[in-house]
Amino acid sequence: MTGIATRTALSAEDLDQLFVHARTHNTFAPEPIPEATLRRLYELMKWGPTSMNCQPARLVFVTTPEGKEKLAPALSPGNLDKTLAAPATVIIATDSRFYEHLPTLFPAYDAKPMFAGNAELASSTAFRNSTLQGAYLIVAARGLGLDCGPMSGFDAGKLNAAFFPDGRHQANFLCNLGIGNPASLHPRGPRLSFEEACRIA
């Protein structure tokens, strides 16, 4: 077909880095992640699709001792030490009033009233799409050569009170970032086969 750009598939090596060989890391090298890298990470992940381009995710990159001290009381015991030692921990949060940005982000028509007048729809849309954006963050981080340790295992009430006291933003999940130590990896868990997880209709 003319006029349609073709795409070249990523190499097997690239795909391995993003998915096949990528692991959830629990320990990281102590080297800090430059702010420029964190900015580039966001510049990549922001292009992932969200419904009506709503982009409800809000990120807090916790990198300082003061930030980690603030985060620590909200962490479960199993996540405490590894999170305090990670070079960066990202709080992936959801903006409950994401729709206020829709006139700019989605100019096709006025979608703001659809969400402003329906709290249930706004909540489900925000949570679903901020989760999607968190997944884009993980893939983007792996593409930049970083390792990830996504996790739940935290007290959302304590975390929100510490980082989002106005109540507008709500924590979705956390993700440690850095250069992982492969020696500390647990054995990899199995995955479901295509036949177990998929069907073609």
Side-chain angles (χ1 to χ4, degrees), residues 31-53:
E31 287 80 8
I33 302 172
E35 181 179 332
T37 301
L38 299 178
R39 288 179 173 274
R40 189 177 179 205
L41 172 57
Y42 176 73
E43 290 300 319
L44 288 172
M45 67 155 282
K46 74 179 184 181
W47 297 110
T50 53
S51 62
M52 291 185 173
N53 198 32

Side-chain angles (χ1 to χ4, degrees), residues 169-194:
H169 303 126
Q170 301 290 317
N172 187 334
F173 68 98
L174 307 176
C175 186
N176 290 331
L177 296 175
I179 303 301
N181 176 11
S184 66
L185 287 171
H186 301 300
R188 188 163 205 175
R191 300 298 196 267
L192 295 175
S193 69
F194 183 93

